[in-house]
Amino acid sequence: MRVREGGWPGWGVDAGLVVLTFVPALLSQPYVDTSGPAWLSLGVYELVGVVVVLLRRRLPATAFVVGFGALLAALVGSAGEGAKLSPLVFLPPAVLLYNLGHHGVHWRRTVSAVLGVSVLSVAGLWVNRMTTDSGDFQGGLDVLAALAPMPLAWVMGFAARTRQELLAAAERRAVDARRAQALEAAQATQRERTRIAGEMHDVVAHSLTLLVVHAETLRARGGELPGWARAQVDGLAAAGRQSSGELRDLLRMLRDPADAVPLQPVPDLGELEALLEGHRAVGGTVELRTDVVLRCVPGPLQLAVYRVVQEALVNARRHAPGAPVRVGVGGEDGGELRCEVVNGRGVGRAAAGAGIGLGLVSMEERVGALGGALTAGPTGDGGFRVAVRMPWGRADA
């Protein structure tokens, strides 16, 4: 169903217009002339008028010419029979003339319609003079008085169309401005991402590459190192290589967000034991307990749990060196996935100035993106606890 602006259906608007345009003439005709020729002329005229009014939007010029011609035929025909029509029969031409100003976008057709109506008027006046002897039924000042305000209807229709075009142009300019603003913001964001990627490459990537090179150099001379040092160097080299690969993926995605497929394998819970071994290699103590089949956990949850455990272990080494750590992962399909990392009181001295306080924020954002919740805080024995709950089904969706 066609609905016009403002919520009214198109057929409702047309029906209301037909009633308001043609019914008044029917109601006033008994007070003017009740003869048969008058009713016949009025009836035929209004039937033709209803058709052209319903077709006015599709054929504005043609509808105006046909409607005006039907009016002239009704007036001349009734006058020839000595009958008069209600003055309200001029309402439909006024509506059609308004419609011509509102929907007549082709000036050539509009001018042709006006010229055609002028010719029909002259011809109708001549026929009326030739077929009517009585001066009471010959067109005169009364017809001129009825036709004089007609141009005002066209002016009103043209003004309405102009206003709509101005509003439409303003809306288009607003849409273009919003689109340009969004494009400018996207370009500014991309420039900032590129700048950050460049800074990270120049500072972090360079330093990390040097760290891996030095670690590999020490590994090459492992025979000269004590046993405990060789294990430390192996862990340092492996962590450096993994971090370098992940940093390259991060820098590539910063430069081009569309290229978001990582080149390095995404860590999952299958690598959780290797992560814990890395913690043990630097002198830490960690215990893992699971009551869920790790490979059945959805991929996004696996990555989130891995990163939470990774960050919690780093924080334990920074702030509670030598403290025992307990890692627990559990849950069930269709319910929640739970992860808890608890470290005791440190036996060594915390690293001075270690960390910038963004680790917990990063964990909370990562978990929140999957519909989960993170709680973190000190324990009663001087340790620290990080607990995560994430809905299993959210990741599947």
Side-chain angles (χ1 to χ4, degrees):
M1 180 178 65
R2 180 169 56 91
V3 178
R4 294 174 59 80
E5 183 179 358
W8 286 92
W11 62 265
V13 174
D14 289 340
L17 183 61
V18 166
V19 171
L20 294 176
T21 304
F22 294 98
V23 171
L26 293 174
L27 295 177
S28 64
Q29 184 62 38
Y31 301 97
V32 178
D33 190 349
T34 58
S35 63
W39 281 110
L40 179 61
S41 298
L42 180 63
V44 174
Y45 163 66
E46 294 216 338
L47 287 176
V48 176
V50 168
V51 174
V52 295
V53 165
L54 294 178
L55 296 176
R56 69 192 185 282
R57 297 191 190 93
R58 185 175 300 179
L59 302 169
T62 303
F64 173 60
V65 173
V66 173
F68 199 87
L71 173 63
L72 288 176
L75 291 174
V76 172
S78 60
E81 296 293 333
K84 285 188 177 182
L85 298 183
S86 169
L88 296 180
V89 294
F90 288 92
L91 282 177
V95 171
L96 295 173
L97 192 55
Y98 174 90
N99 178 77
L100 181 63
H102 191 231
H103 295 284
V105 295
H106 300 288
W107 282 101
R108 182 176 298 177
R109 294 181 182 177
T110 301
V111 173
S112 300
V114 173
L115 292 177
V117 165
S118 301
V119 172
L120 287 176
S121 300
V122 173
L125 183 60
W126 180 79
V127 172
N128 179 240
R129 294 288 182 177
M130 295 297 294
T131 58
T132 304
D133 297 330
S134 175
D136 294 336
F137 295 97
Q138 292 181 351
L141 294 178
D142 55 338
V143 177
L144 180 62
L147 294 177
M150 288 291 181
L152 182 59
W154 182 88
V155 172
M156 294 174 62
F158 182 77
R161 186 182 73 186
T162 303
R163 179 177 178 275
Q164 288 185 353
E165 292 175 349
L166 291 175
L167 290 177
E171 291 178 357
R172 289 194 297 269
R173 288 195 297 271
V175 171
D176 293 341
R178 288 194 294 269
R179 187 181 295 113
Q181 186 178 10
L183 179 61
E184 184 179 354
Q187 292 175 345
T189 300
Q190 184 56 39
R191 288 194 297 269
E192 184 64 15
R193 291 169 69 100
T194 303
R195 186 189 67 80
I196 294 174
E199 293 291 336
M200 291 180 64
H201 178 272
D202 294 341
V203 178
V204 182
H206 177 71
S207 301
L208 190 58
T209 301
L210 288 178
L211 184 147
V212 174
V213 169
H214 290 315
E216 294 293 347
T217 302
L218 289 175
R219 288 185 65 190
R221 303 180 62 180
E224 304 176 16
L225 300 175
W228 65 268
R230 286 195 295 272
Q232 297 278 359
V233 170
D234 289 341
L236 180 63
R241 286 193 298 272
Q242 180 182 358
S243 298
S244 296
E246 294 178 355
L247 183 60
R248 283 195 299 271
D249 286 337
L250 177 61
L251 295 179
R252 183 167 52 84
M253 287 185 287
L254 275 175
R255 289 192 177 97
D256 185 6
D259 189 14
V261 179
L263 299 178
Q264 298 291 323
V266 178
D268 55 25
L269 294 182
E271 303 178 31
L272 190 58
E273 190 60 43
L275 179 63
L276 302 184
E277 285 298 329
H279 181 76
R280 297 186 185 105
V282 294
T285 303
V286 61
E287 175 187 1
L288 174 64
R289 294 181 180 179
T290 61
D291 62 358
V292 66
V293 181
L294 299 182
R295 66 174 179 272
C296 296
V297 178
L301 297 186
Q302 291 198 38
L303 177 60
V305 170
Y306 182 91
R307 293 303 189 195
V308 167
V309 174
Q310 184 183 44
E311 183 64 28
L313 292 178
V314 171
N315 288 338
R317 290 196 295 269
R318 287 174 177 171
H319 305 290
V325 181
R326 299 192 311 273
V327 178
V329 181
E332 58 183 4
D333 190 357
E336 286 186 332
L337 181 68
R338 300 178 299 276
C339 175
E340 183 180 64
V341 183
V342 182
N343 64 266
R345 184 188 297 272
V347 297
R349 193 170 184 180
I356 58 176
L358 296 180
L360 289 176
V361 174
S362 176
M363 285 192 289
E364 187 173 7
E365 290 177 350
R366 184 183 294 273
V367 172
L370 294 174
L374 179 143
T375 57
T379 60
D381 59 357
F384 199 82
R385 174 179 177 269
V386 176
V388 170
R389 289 178 175 272
M390 291 179 289
W392 198 295
R394 176 69 176 271
D396 291 337

